[in-house]
Amino acid sequence: MSFLTLQDGTQIFYKDWGSGRPIVFHHGWPLSSDDWDAQMLFFLGKGFRVIAHDRRGHGRSSQTDTGNDMDTYAADVAALAAHLDLRDAVHVGHSTGGGEVTRYVARHGAGRVAKAVLIGAVPPVMLKSASNPGGLPMEVFDGFRAALAANRAQFYREVPMGPFYGFNRPGTPMLEGVVGNWWRQGMIGGAKAQYDCIKAFSETDFTEDLRRIEVPVLVLHGEDDQIVPIADSARLSAKLLRHATLKTYPGFPHGMCTTHAEVINADLLAFIQG
């Protein structure tokens, strides 16, 4: 097992498999690098070097009670990229990880990043405000915090059983293994860090970061995403990015990298090789 110890003593767990051009995967809340199994095995088999880390406070990394914010998450990625001396890398982020990718590429990626991919990602900003009338109201995120604090174990069953993978949609079969794996990943992380991360993914404004990114960015989003609604995320991000390609999927849920891995993997490969 590989760990990088940061300047503040936080230990970041990471996987680094294979050789060749590096692809770095950034997971969503409240999960871990294990959420990328289907992508890492696929791209490893295609001859790429695949890397994924557990964000601070998540998975096997230190259960931090401080630094659980996007600036620190991006700085942690920068430290890992320097440690591994990553060049010509492609950074792929899902959900909260898409926010992490956006901030990292905009502020730290010069000379190291060739392309980026945002999948079901939270930018530009999720929270509803006068300047973002299409966002979600604060009550939604306060509800997340209350549910996590009251009974995290139960909350982490309800999210994957319902909207995350679209298992609440009529005719969609429940995949118990997928639900259990989501629960497992969430529960090995730290409650305080995951609680703080709700503010990080919902209130951080990535508008200027998106405008600063100069590399090509592929924006993928499920049109039936119940966690990060497409109208106030991917469609706006694609307009702010300088070199964006937007692709949407009718009926696909937030967790489409798992439920429709073969489709997503093929589109990622075409973009990376293009």
Side-chain angles (χ1 to χ4, degrees):
M1 296 177 71
S2 299
F3 290 89
L4 171 64
T5 301
L6 303 172
Q7 288 186 348
D8 67 354
T10 298
Q11 288 194 310
I12 298 296
F13 169 82
Y14 67 94
K15 307 173 188 182
D16 183 3
W17 304 341
S19 58
R21 188 179 188 182
I23 306 175
V24 186
F25 295 95
H26 304 243
H27 65 81
W29 172 94
L31 304 174
S32 74
S33 56
D34 292 352
D35 199 44
W36 290 108
D37 284 354
Q39 284 68 48
M40 292 187 70
L41 290 172
F42 175 82
F43 282 99
L44 182 65
K46 296 294 183 181
F48 291 89
R49 178 184 180 188
V50 292
I51 298 152
H53 69 292
D54 292 355
R55 185 174 302 114
R56 66 166 56 219
H58 297 65
R60 289 139 293 202
S61 293
S62 298
Q63 294 194 7
T64 48
D65 65 337
T66 59
N68 304 307
D69 58 82
M70 281 293 168
D71 285 350
T72 306
Y73 297 158
D76 291 350
V77 174
L80 180 61
H83 175 69
L84 298 177
D85 193 25
L86 301 181
R87 307 281 178 180
D88 195 35
V90 179
H91 285 259
V92 181
H94 174 244
S95 197
T96 299
E100 182 177 272
V101 166
T102 299
R103 183 137 297 181
Y104 164 73
V105 174
R107 303 191 180 187
H108 305 279
R112 294 192 179 275
V113 178
K115 295 181 178 181
V117 183
L118 306 180
I119 305 177
V122 298
V125 58
M126 289 193 74
L127 184 66
K128 182 177 182 178
S129 65
S131 60
N132 185 42
L136 297 173
M138 180 64 81
E139 290 77 14
V140 171
F141 305 109
D142 285 343
F144 287 177
R145 281 182 278 264
L148 187 156
N151 190 335
R152 182 170 65 132
Q154 183 60 33
F155 182 42
Y156 286 1
R157 288 284 293 175
E158 293 170 355
V159 173
M161 289 178 66
F164 197 94
Y165 296 109
F167 294 152
N168 58 341
R169 296 306 196 202
T172 303
M174 179 81 67
L175 300 177
E176 292 290 347
V178 169
V179 173
N181 190 42
W182 201 102
W183 184 89
R184 174 191 68 84
Q185 291 179 70
M187 291 304 295
I188 63 174
K192 176 62 164 62
Q194 292 171 351
Y195 186 96
D196 292 349
C197 189
I198 296 170
K199 178 180 177 68
F201 74 65
S202 64
E203 298 183 38
T204 304
D205 189 339
F206 299 97
T207 300
E208 293 308 314
D209 298 294
L210 292 165
R211 287 175 173 154
R212 290 173 59 180
I213 292 174
E214 297 182 353
V215 300
V217 181
L218 177 64
V219 181
L220 304 180
H221 217 101
E223 293 181 14
D224 193 34
D225 192 323
Q226 301 171 67
I227 303 296
V228 183
I230 188 172
D232 199 61
S233 55
R235 297 198 192 282
L236 299 182
S237 291
K239 293 177 181 178
L240 291 166
L241 289 159
R242 299 185 189 186
H243 307 288
T245 301
L246 173 64
K247 184 163 188 177
T248 67
Y249 304 87
F252 280 25
H254 188 61
M256 63 185 184
C257 292
T258 297
T259 59
H260 299 80
E262 68 288 348
V263 175
I264 303 304
N265 290 349
D267 288 343
L268 288 175
L269 181 62
F271 173 71
I272 291 169
Q273 292 182 331

